[in-house]
Amino acid sequence: MAPASLRGRSVENPTISIEQEIQRSYLEYSLSVIIGRAIPDVRDGLKPVHRRIMYAQHELGNTYNRAYKKSARVVGDVIGKYHPHGDSAVYDALVRMAQDFSMRDPLVDGQGNFGSIDGDSAAAMRYTEARMSRLAGEFLSDIEKNTVDFRPNYDNSLQEPEVLPTKVPNLLLNGSAGIAVGMATNIPPHNLGELIDALLYLLDHSSCSSRDLMQFIKGPDFPTGGVAYVGEGLTEAYTTGRGSVKMRGTLSVEDRGKGLESIVITEIPYAVNKSTLVEKIALLVHERRIEGISDLRDESDRRGIRIVIDLKRGTIPDIVINALYKYTALESSFGFNMMAVVDNRPQLLTLKDILAHFLEHRREVIIRRTRFDLKKAEARAHILEGLRIALDNIDAVVKTIRSSKTAQDAKQALMEQFELSDVQSQAILDMRLQRLTNMEHEKLLEEYRELLKKIEFFKSILENEDVLLGVIRDELDALKKTYATQRRTVIDDHDLSGIDIEDLIPDADVVITLSERGYIKRTAMENYSAQKRGGKGIFGVHTSDGDFILNFLVTTNHQYILLFTNRGKMHRLKVHQIPEGSRTAKGMHIANLLPLDKDEYVVASLTVRDFAADRSFLFVTRKGMVKRTHQEMYTNCRSTGIIAVNVRESDDLLQVVDVGREDEIVLVTQHGYAIRFSVADARAMGRGTAGVKGIALRSGDRVVAGVVVTPDEHKDILTVSEKGYGKRSSLDLYRLQTRGGKGIITMRTTPKTGSLIGAIMVEKDDDIIMLTSENKVIRIGAGEIRKVGRATQGVRLVSMADDGHVVGFDIVRDKQIDEARKNED
């Protein structure tokens, strides 16, 4: 407050409160920083400097299909015409718009050194060149059609747009980060295809919630890839505007041979400096906070990131990996703060709010563009109407013009004689003589008819809300088709609290079903109750038309399920990672769990608890080839899978079984033949080999099963046909042969029984679970199945409709019987 001696001054010298003046001035400064510098507009997702860079390039004609211009030229235009700030600030913004590791979809196409993910600075602006990216052109489309408001630039000498008429939901696509006075914004980038899917859904379901839109927008999609661990943090961010998700880099374990391994980092979290990350790892090794690392090197190049960490012999990779996540930026957090300017006021927005504001902006742009086009079309149609009248009365028009003394007299005479407007009369006077030809006359009439159609369409957009929404929908579809790319960041909803999820999951018996079209599910064994032989079964699994169950496994939650593809690759999951479903559920597509390539699909599966050094995997193909490889060679499975077997083009992988060197194998064919030979006959090979011949097939025959036999065990072979017939035969009836023979009869197949679909080893007290093409499951005791010789057709095990068939079966060991046996012993 002013001192007492200054109070009561006249109006010419009013007293001013210092406190109020500071408050007012600081508020104005704050708003200027918020709106004019740090916080993006919700409509185009741009801060003023980015908007001015794009508009200046547009005015320069510096588009994606023209030659590059020096960055200094662009920066000069920006600061000279629209942005009265330092050139380094403008150039830094332009550089970031060109960095593919900073922007999910860059808006500037840069040529030269524009910096690196290691934190290297860009070259000086006099050396680099730039132009707008193709996507950036969509930000300025139709700007000349009065689609947005313009305002004077800083010195009132030019006009600049208040917002760009963008077709791109840029606020979420490329995200934004900024610190203003008293507030900040931090929005991650997203995938364009997912954003457009959500916008299209919002167009049809305006009352939906942010949670509803999350079925399309799975989470952030960072340009550097990596893994985003989402959950309640993401839901909170999208529904309130604030939240947090964990980011992790992508790494794998590679075998260097001779028992040595390396951890290879190929993707790092968003906004992490790679050089700083490598230096941090080296420091941790030097301080012995991370043990077991023998060498660290950065092998990154223009093809991508590759940080190699060599491990000492005997080091467990998972321990080092967990330490990297704990002590370095390889695991980071991204805090959402979705603040944006709405109607010149900063607001915290939800996911739906941002998308709804963008759609409202597109609606306004299209309405203003349509009004502009309609006005222009009507003006042109008015002129064409006058030319049409002139051509229909050409002789009279020519006579009138020739009889006039001056052009003004001719115009006035035409207006009076043919009831034309001033514009129409002038157009007639300006018409060239060549327009009098019949061809030109037809062109004029065709143009007139097309204009009338356009006018009608423009009016329908302005008068009919459904037509307007249809235009928005068509533009979004076209944008997705042209610019959408595959997601780079993997979304994972696992909790990273450090608790081992297996500690919370009981190691219970479950059934895994995998259909031919790739749908997989896990079902508790207790859902399948025992029934009598010959029963019709209960509904087991729902599949769509043309689909059927490919693999049917009985296992436990803590085991590994190994999935082998037609390309000979192996992928590994824990059984409990497979989504649980009811008995009749369809399941989840395997592509949501595994990184399968195009045209790659699962053909065989196997469950194991660990990879024993004295055990092997035996691969069996449809054409009778077998290959044995030690299990320890499959211990380290990358997230993208590893090569398991080399499958020839004319063959298909059928089965993979767990064997010991002393075991034997019985190969069973579709036509009812079998061969028994020692596993040792197939020498151990490397992972990328094709194997040797196991059985010589007869014409038209193929292998349907590989049954592992333990020496000296007294079990039976159960064979099952496609029409529900089966039998038990003593293993002693199958003599041991040399690998590569034609085999002996194992079941007499007839049109009544149909072809064999498989075989397994059983004991009398085992339970058998079977699945039919009618999606029914039956569980029967093995003791109920008649034990007969090899060359018989067996008995009916399951009743089906005439066109039904058995598609899979497996053994269920009854734990209560095992426990009873132990008590008896």
Side-chain angles (χ1 to χ4, degrees):
M1 182 69 68
S5 59
L6 298 179
R7 295 175 188 171
R9 283 188 176 184
S10 63
V11 177
E12 288 79 4
N13 295 295
T15 60
I16 300 175
S17 167
I18 295 178
E19 180 181 357
Q20 292 178 354
E21 178 63 20
I22 291 175
Q23 287 180 349
R24 182 187 64 81
S25 299
Y26 193 74
L27 179 61
E28 291 180 357
Y29 166 73
S30 299
L31 291 175
S32 173
V33 172
I34 291 169
I35 298 174
R37 189 176 301 179
I39 307 297
D41 192 291
V42 70
R43 295 168 291 179
D44 60 8
L46 298 173
K47 300 176 185 179
V49 63
H50 302 122
R51 187 179 302 116
R52 288 163 176 167
I53 288 172
M54 295 181 70
Y55 183 65
Q57 287 183 296
H58 174 74
E59 290 293 283
L60 280 171
N62 192 25
T63 56
Y64 78 95
N65 54 356
R66 294 187 181 181
Y68 292 90
K69 293 184 184 297
K70 284 290 185 182
S71 299
R73 170 76 184 279
V74 177
V75 172
D77 266 32
V78 173
I79 63 177
K81 294 180 178 179
Y82 311 112
H83 200 71
H85 299 279
D87 58 355
S88 61
V90 176
Y91 184 52
D92 288 346
L94 184 144
V95 165
R96 192 176 188 279
M97 293 170 73
Q99 292 174 339
D100 59 2
F101 53 87
S102 296
M103 306 283 281
R104 178 58 180 82
D105 290 278
L107 302 179
V108 170
D109 178 9
Q111 184 169 263
N113 176 16
F114 276 83
S116 72
I117 200 169
D118 289 318
D120 299 319
S121 299
M125 69 178 80
R126 63 182 177 273
Y127 298 121
T128 61
E129 296 179 337
R131 64 184 180 187
M132 297 169 64
S133 68
R134 184 182 179 191
L135 179 65
E138 303 293 347
F139 282 68
L140 294 127
S141 177
D142 301 321
I143 195 171
E144 71 284 352
K145 294 184 178 182
N146 193 33
T147 49
V148 293
D149 291 331
F150 280 70
R151 65 187 174 200
N153 68 338
Y154 65 92
D155 64 356
N156 288 325
S157 62
L158 295 170
Q159 295 285 310
E160 64 173 316
E162 293 183 359
V163 67
L164 298 185
T166 177
K167 297 179 180 179
V168 183
N170 184 62
L171 184 60
L172 288 174
L173 174 63
N174 281 313
S176 185
I179 300 176
V181 179
M183 63 183 63
T185 185
N186 201 32
I187 304 173
H190 290 76
N191 183 269
L192 180 60
E194 294 179 4
L195 292 175
I196 291 178
D197 288 341
L199 288 168
L200 293 173
Y201 182 83
L202 183 57
L203 277 176
D204 298 326
H205 306 84
S206 57
S207 61
C208 71
S209 66
S210 293
R211 288 179 180 269
D212 295 329
L213 296 172
M214 288 178 66
Q215 64 183 300
F216 305 99
I217 301 175
K218 306 299 183 183
D221 189 17
F222 300 109
T224 53
V227 181
Y229 289 84
V230 302
E232 287 302 316
L234 182 68
T235 303
E236 183 179 1
Y238 283 162
T239 55
T240 68
R242 288 196 176 98
S244 177
V245 298
K246 290 284 187 179
M247 304 179 293
R248 277 185 174 180
T250 300
L251 51 77
S252 60
V253 178
E254 293 186 359
D255 187 357
R256 307 199 323 264
K258 298 182 180 181
L260 298 174
E261 296 174 315
S262 297
I263 297 172
V264 179
I265 302 172
T266 53
E267 294 175 349
I268 62 177
Y270 182 59
V272 169
N273 185 304
K274 178 166 65 66
S275 291
T276 303
L277 174 64
V278 174
E279 291 172 2
K280 179 65 174 179
I281 297 173
L283 180 62
L284 291 170
V285 174
H286 178 72
E287 295 176 348
R288 296 186 178 276
R289 296 177 66 185
I290 298 182
E291 299 284 352
I293 294 179
S294 62
D295 190 23
L296 169 66
R297 58 190 180 276
D298 186 357
E299 298 180 354
S300 306
D301 55 23
R302 58 186 177 85
R303 292 173 294 183
I305 293 174
R306 181 178 171 85
I307 303 171
V308 181
I309 304 171
D310 290 339
L311 303 181
K312 298 177 181 177
R313 191 183 305 276
T315 301
I316 300 174
D318 286 344
I319 295 178
V320 178
I321 291 171
N322 289 335
L324 292 173
Y325 287 144
K326 182 177 181 180
Y327 298 121
T328 73
L330 196 61
E331 177 180 311
S332 306
S333 295
F334 189 98
F336 284 69
N337 187 18
M338 299 202 292
M339 183 79 67
V341 174
V342 181
D343 295 330
N344 285 325
R345 297 178 63 87
Q347 289 187 20
L348 187 66
L349 303 170
T350 66
L351 177 65
K352 180 185 177 182
D353 291 338
I354 295 175
L355 296 179
H357 282 300
F358 174 76
L359 287 178
E360 181 59 31
H361 178 54
R362 285 306 303 158
R363 183 178 182 276
E364 180 181 354
V365 167
I366 291 173
I367 289 175
R368 293 181 63 160
R369 180 187 69 191
T370 303
R371 287 172 178 165
F372 180 90
D373 289 338
L374 176 60
K375 183 178 180 181
K376 185 176 180 180
E378 287 178 336
R380 177 60 180 167
H382 180 67
I383 292 174
L384 292 178
E385 175 68 22
L387 294 179
R388 186 181 64 82
I389 293 173
L391 291 173
D392 289 342
N393 302 274
I394 189 62
D395 293 335
V397 168
V398 171
K399 183 178 179 181
T400 302
I401 294 174
R402 292 189 63 183
S403 62
S404 301
K405 291 184 178 180
T406 64
Q408 185 62 36
D409 292 340
K411 182 196 293 187
Q412 189 65 35
L414 290 174
M415 292 171 59
E416 295 175 356
Q417 185 173 351
F418 300 102
E419 299 182 356
L420 301 175
S421 67
D422 183 271
V423 174
Q424 289 174 324
S425 297
Q426 186 61 49
I428 293 172
L429 292 175
D430 294 338
M431 184 174 62
R432 299 173 64 180
L433 291 177
Q434 69 178 33
R435 302 297 298 271
L436 301 179
T437 63
N438 289 332
M439 184 176 296
E440 290 293 331
H441 190 185
E442 288 300 321
K443 285 183 180 180
L444 186 146
L445 294 177
E446 180 63 25
E447 182 186 357
Y448 182 64
R449 287 191 290 267
E450 290 297 323
L451 270 177
L452 292 180
K453 292 179 182 179
K454 287 182 180 180
I455 291 171
E456 183 179 359
F457 175 64
F458 294 149
K459 288 182 178 179
S460 68
I461 294 176
L462 299 174
E463 297 170 357
N464 191 325
E465 184 73 13
D466 291 337
V467 178
L468 173 61
L469 296 181
V471 173
I472 297 175
R473 187 176 292 106
D474 291 342
E475 290 184 354
L476 290 174
D477 284 333
L479 193 71
K480 179 180 178 181
K481 179 183 290 187
T482 305
Y483 299 103
T485 57
Q486 292 294 320
R487 167 173 280 279
R488 298 178 189 172
T489 300
V490 176
I491 298 297
D492 195 319
D493 58 1
H494 288 166
D495 185 14
L496 294 182
S497 59
I499 300 176
D500 188 348
I501 193 171
E502 285 195 1
D503 295 338
L504 307 176
I505 299 175
D507 195 19
D509 290 336
V510 294
V511 173
I512 301 295
T513 56
L514 175 65
S515 76
E516 192 273 339
R517 288 188 176 177
Y519 290 93
I520 192 170
K521 70 167 184 174
R522 172 173 54 94
T523 307
M525 178 58 68
E526 60 190 24
N527 289 334
Y528 302 100
S529 57
Q531 297 174 272
K532 296 295 183 181
R533 176 178 64 82
K536 293 186 176 181
I538 59 177
F539 282 106
V541 61
H542 171 73
T543 58
S544 58
D545 294 341
D547 200 5
F548 60 86
I549 297 302
L550 177 69
N551 291 92
F552 192 73
L553 302 173
V554 177
T555 183
T556 60
N557 277 323
H558 288 188
Q559 294 201 41
Y560 287 109
I561 180 168
L562 310 179
L563 299 159
F564 301 87
T565 73
N566 61 312
R567 294 185 179 179
K569 292 181 71 174
M570 186 193 86
H571 297 269
R572 185 179 71 185
L573 294 172
K574 279 288 190 176
V575 169
H576 62 72
Q577 291 178 309
I578 297 173
E580 187 173 8
S582 66
R583 202 177 59 242
T584 57
K586 184 177 181 180
M588 176 182 288
H589 198 277
I590 195 70
N592 294 320
L593 301 175
L594 302 179
L596 298 178
D597 295 332
K598 186 178 181 181
D599 300 327
E600 185 180 15
Y601 52 90
V602 175
V603 295
S605 59
L606 174 70
T607 56
V608 296
R609 189 167 293 276
D610 51 35
F611 297 88
D614 59 342
R615 306 288 292 179
S616 300
F617 290 137
L618 187 72
F619 297 84
V620 181
T621 73
R622 292 284 186 185
K623 290 196 172 182
M625 299 295 291
V626 295
K627 189 197 83 160
R628 181 168 65 93
T629 306
H630 294 305
Q631 288 188 10
E632 61 185 359
M633 299 188 72
Y634 298 88
T635 302
N636 299 317
C637 183
R638 296 186 291 272
S639 60
T640 55
I642 59 175
I643 298 296
V645 61
N646 183 13
V647 181
R648 296 170 180 171
E649 291 186 4
S650 59
D651 203 355
D652 291 309
L653 181 62
L654 167 68
Q655 191 173 356
V656 185
V657 291
D658 179 7
V659 297
R661 183 174 174 79
E662 303 302 323
D663 289 340
E664 298 166 357
I665 186 78
V666 179
L667 300 183
V668 180
T669 75
Q670 186 178 33
H671 291 174
Y673 293 92
I675 185 171
R676 177 183 178 183
F677 59 89
S678 174
V679 166
D681 285 355
R683 64 180 178 85
M685 300 180 177
R687 287 195 286 111
T689 55
V692 294
K693 180 177 290 188
I695 184 173
L697 296 173
R698 293 165 174 82
S699 178
D701 204 358
R702 63 177 184 169
V703 178
V704 295
V707 182
V708 179
V709 177
T710 301
D712 302 326
E713 68 177 349
H714 301 287
K715 291 185 178 182
D716 302 323
I717 290 185
L718 172 66
T719 49
V720 179
S721 72
E722 61 181 349
K723 293 192 176 180
Y725 283 78
K727 67 182 180 69
R728 287 188 297 138
S729 298
S730 174
L731 180 61
D732 296 335
L733 299 177
Y734 297 82
R735 70 180 186 273
L736 192 64
Q737 296 178 261
T738 302
R739 174 185 57 79
K742 289 191 173 184
I744 58 177
I745 294 177
T746 184
M747 181 174 178
R748 186 76 64 184
T749 58
T750 66
K752 177 182 177 182
T753 64
S755 301
L756 286 190
I757 66 161
I760 54 174
M761 297 297 298
V762 296
E763 292 182 301
K764 183 178 179 181
D765 295 324
D766 289 337
D767 275 2
I768 307 301
I769 189 167
M770 305 176 66
L771 180 66
T772 74
S773 60
E774 300 167 325
N775 297 324
K776 293 184 178 180
V777 172
I778 184 169
R779 179 172 172 173
I780 60 177
E784 297 179 57
I785 303 174
R786 186 184 303 171
K787 185 174 181 179
V788 294
R790 285 189 296 100
T792 57
Q793 69 177 16
V795 296
R796 182 178 291 277
L797 304 182
V798 58
S799 298
M800 297 175 293
D802 292 339
D803 58 348
H805 58 277
V806 178
V807 296
F809 63 100
D810 205 345
I811 186 173
V812 181
R813 177 73 67 183
D814 194 327
K815 293 184 178 180
Q816 293 181 346
I817 294 177
D818 287 344
E819 293 173 359
R821 284 177 176 170
K822 292 178 182 178
N823 294 333
E824 290 176 359
D825 294 340

